[in-house]
Amino acid sequence: MTKRALGAQISHMLKSRGVDVIFGIPGVHNQELYRGIEEAGMTHVLARHEQGAGFMADGYARASGRPGVAYVITGPGLCNIMTPMGQAYSDSVPILVISSCLDETAAIRGQLHQMRDQKAAAATVCDWSEEARTPQAAYGLVDRALTEFHTRRPRSKHIQVPISALGAPADPAPAPVEMGPGPVDQASPLRLEPLREWLRASKRPLFIFGGGAVRHLDTASGDHQWLDMLRGMGAASFTTYAARGLIPEGFPLHFGSYLGRPASADVIASADLVIAVGTELSECDLWRDDLGHKGRLVRIDLDPEVVSDRHAADMQILGGAHGHLVSALIEMQEEPAKTGWAVSEVTSFRAAARSEVDAERPGIVPICDALRAELPDDTMIYSDMTQFAYVANEVWHMPKPGHWHHPTGFGTLGYALPAAVGGAMARRDKPTMAIAGDYGFQYTLQELGAAVELGLPLPILLWDNGKLKEIDDSMISAQIAPKAVVAHNPDFGALARAYGAYATRPADLKELVRDVGQAFKADRPTLIHMTPDML
């Protein structure tokens, strides 16, 4: 039993539970957390801003399937990482933020980094925020967080430890306990029997898959369990943006990720049975208030709040989209295949939806097509809130699920670059790419320094249309004279080179594809400046 400062013991504990990378920024308040990082054999990634550290942890978690962990200081450090915490909460991403906190705040004022209620502030954007005043509490909270990431809907969590406690000697954390296979579902054969009967009677069954259907999928072994089930049932499908790639583009009854198109409501209304798996069916999935279903609706999700929401499901199944539940659904594919869906109606819908997307934001679809045709199939992409990504979310069908990550829900700017840094750290030998707009890129462009420091071969596609174009379009649509939508942009290439990155400005699609290919082979990140006039 080796006594160390509690801060060091926390790092050793995390390492013993599989955490090998920490993202963060050290300060005098949290330096005891840093005492054990190198000793425990972990890698630390120095962000240039705590917001960047949080997005890096998010990107790492999405790429690796393991929790992303960030260390930050009291007060402003915690405040700066709250935006990534809110994004991770919204998108069901397992990130754990560990911060220092002041020993006493009720009777003392004017302390460095003092907040009125730091724990409560963090609690507004994450699953829970707790204070550990003893080693036992710290260890218990860390294990609680890691266990809940594994067994429940994963969402951001925050643990704060008083400065004096971080520096006080402490015994090591208890040995890790082996976790079970994952969430326990309620999909017993008896409970699923009514669903079997509904499928027998259905002529036009429709599945809607969300990110939760991807999370437990064994993509490494090429598991096509959902596709086999759809074929066996003769069912049609939609995917949310997060589930793109789950159903291959060539599947004839797949409507794609066009749920946000108004015409999808008509398709859904024509189904006599809709089964939504691992999706909130939120505003950011549908871009309307109602799903549009007229037949029976079945909800399958880990979150009780989701299955019992305003869409008023006829059957609620609380559980993960894996294991027993998937096996039971696959068994149901033995029912006679339905013939109510026609390939022609799917083809017609997809063509019309794609044309709508191209008409709404002209010029982006051809760029998406050119890039998609040339990128390696295992490329992982992180996008920001930019029109380029809004188009790509609908028309860019992924060859693999879980390989495009977008800040859905909370919808923060500045996500793509730092998240891609975290993702690249999780998969150093595989291609990773970032896509950002000219305005949002400037929220976190300083993380170019981290990417250069790490030697990441990261293409950063910068879509520069010279303004906040989405807001400009929205104001015009609302008959508001566009205001505050144009900002002076820097010389992005010069800025990237100042950080030590490479920079290019392709003149056409051929040069764009060439530059991206070279960026994947480079010894550092490459900023690729795209403008509408390249077409």
Side-chain angles (χ1 to χ4, degrees):
M1 300 286 287
T2 303
K3 279 189 177 289
R4 300 183 180 90
L6 175 58
Q9 297 287 28
I10 289 172
S11 291
H12 280 270
M13 178 188 187
L14 290 168
K15 176 64 175 179
S16 73
R17 282 143 175 83
V19 176
D20 53 12
V21 180
I22 300 292
F23 303 92
I25 301 176
V28 294
H29 278 190
N30 72 345
Q31 64 188 12
E32 290 295 342
L33 286 165
Y34 282 75
R35 187 186 293 275
I37 292 178
E38 185 174 352
E39 186 181 63
M42 292 193 291
T43 298
H44 180 267
V45 175
L46 176 62
R48 271 45 179 180
H49 190 284
E50 287 90 356
Q51 187 177 73
F55 287 143
M56 289 176 190
D58 176 298
Y60 178 90
R62 297 194 200 210
S64 67
R66 302 190 300 275
V69 180
Y71 288 171
V72 298
I73 62 164
T74 319
L78 189 280
C79 287
N80 286 341
I81 205 171
M82 282 173 61
T83 296
M85 290 168 68
Q87 189 63 61
Y89 179 88
S90 178
D91 284 356
S92 303
V93 180
I95 72 169
L96 174 61
V97 174
I98 301 179
S99 75
S100 53
C101 66
L102 297 173
D103 297 329
E104 171 60 55
T105 58
I108 305 175
R109 291 290 181 267
Q111 300 177 84
L112 178 65
H113 302 329
Q114 186 166 14
M115 293 177 65
R116 292 186 62 193
D117 194 336
Q118 177 176 292
K119 184 179 76 168
T124 63
V125 291
C126 66
D127 192 19
W128 50 255
S129 173
E130 299 290 353
E131 183 172 330
R133 299 175 184 170
T134 65
Q136 293 73 26
Y139 303 152
L141 287 170
V142 169
D143 271 341
R144 174 187 168 190
L146 298 179
T147 299
E148 290 179 6
F149 288 150
H150 186 65
T151 60
R152 292 168 46 180
R153 182 177 183 177
R155 281 176 150 167
S156 53
K157 305 174 194 297
H158 168 242
I159 300 170
Q160 64 180 31
V161 186
I163 298 166
S164 62
L166 284 173
D171 290 325
V177 176
E178 185 174 351
M179 294 188 187
V184 177
D185 61 56
Q186 298 179 350
S188 66
L190 181 62
R191 180 170 175 76
L192 289 175
E193 189 55 34
L195 179 55
R196 184 186 295 273
E197 293 302 318
W198 291 356
L199 278 166
R200 282 197 184 106
S202 173
K203 301 299 182 186
R204 285 170 67 91
L206 175 68
F207 280 77
I208 301 175
F209 296 107
V214 175
R215 185 168 292 113
H216 299 286
L217 188 71
D218 185 8
T219 54
S221 63
D223 192 334
H224 298 300
Q225 53 192 3
W226 292 121
L227 181 61
D228 293 339
M229 181 194 69
L230 292 174
R231 283 180 176 142
M233 292 179 179
S237 62
F238 276 99
T239 56
T240 65
Y241 302 149
R244 280 181 295 157
L246 183 66
I247 308 302
E249 186 176 19
F251 182 61
L253 296 183
H254 183 47
F255 285 94
S257 57
Y258 292 112
L259 274 175
R261 295 286 115 193
S264 72
D266 297 328
V267 174
I268 292 167
S270 75
D272 53 15
L273 176 62
V274 179
I275 303 175
V277 184
T279 172
E280 291 179 297
L281 298 178
S282 69
E283 177 190 30
C284 297
D285 294 319
L286 304 174
W287 298 114
R288 58 179 180 269
D289 292 333
D290 299 314
L291 177 61
H293 65 291
K294 295 182 179 178
R296 290 189 174 103
L297 173 63
V298 178
R299 301 296 297 277
I300 301 171
D301 202 277
L302 275 175
D303 191 339
E305 187 177 350
V306 168
V307 298
S308 60
D309 68 7
R310 71 186 190 284
H311 295 298
D314 298 280
M315 180 183 291
Q316 304 170 3
I317 299 176
L318 187 64
H322 73 292
H324 182 192
L325 173 59
V326 174
S327 298
L329 285 170
I330 289 174
E331 288 177 7
M332 295 182 193
Q333 75 184 23
E334 298 172 2
E335 306 300 332
K338 312 304 184 294
T339 57
W341 295 104
V343 173
S344 58
E345 67 180 303
V346 178
T347 303
S348 176
F349 171 88
R350 288 181 61 119
R354 178 183 165 91
S355 294
E356 284 182 12
V357 174
D358 192 26
E360 288 174 359
R361 300 180 179 101
I364 298 176
V365 169
I367 303 176
C368 291
D369 290 343
L371 287 168
R372 179 175 169 269
E374 298 297 328
L375 289 184
D377 283 352
D378 60 346
T379 302
M380 187 163 284
I381 301 171
Y382 293 84
S383 59
D384 217 318
M385 300 294 286
T386 169
Q387 285 194 330
F388 192 98
Y390 306 154
V391 169
N393 275 330
E394 297 193 85
V395 305
W396 189 318
H397 193 91
M398 297 297 291
K400 292 185 177 182
H403 277 60
W404 188 301
H405 305 292
H406 184 74
T408 310
F410 207 47
T412 179
L413 286 163
Y415 172 80
L417 172 57
V421 169
M425 287 296 295
R427 50 200 314 271
R428 293 293 296 247
D429 59 339
K430 297 178 181 178
T432 302
M433 186 170 78
I435 299 175
D438 56 302
Y439 196 82
F441 177 67
Q442 296 180 71
Y443 274 53
T444 51
L445 63 84
Q446 66 271 15
E447 303 307 340
L448 274 169
V452 169
E453 200 167 68
L454 295 165
L456 300 177
L458 179 67
I460 304 162
L461 303 188
L462 180 67
W463 176 244
D464 181 5
N465 52 24
K467 61 173 64 178
L468 289 161
K469 187 66 167 62
E470 188 72 6
I471 311 306
D472 183 68
D473 291 347
S474 179
M475 285 181 167
I476 292 172
S477 177
Q479 298 185 355
I480 299 171
K483 181 68 176 176
V485 294
V486 178
H488 174 72
N489 278 339
D491 182 332
F492 288 110
L495 190 61
R497 286 186 286 269
Y499 273 101
Y502 298 121
T504 69
R505 185 165 181 167
D508 53 35
L509 293 182
K510 184 178 179 180
E511 289 188 7
L512 171 63
V513 170
R514 179 204 64 194
D515 290 350
V516 171
Q518 291 177 347
F520 281 132
K521 302 173 185 177
D523 60 354
R524 65 192 73 177
T526 304
L527 182 72
I528 302 173
H529 190 182
M530 304 185 299
T531 56
D533 60 10
M534 66 185 294
L535 290 172

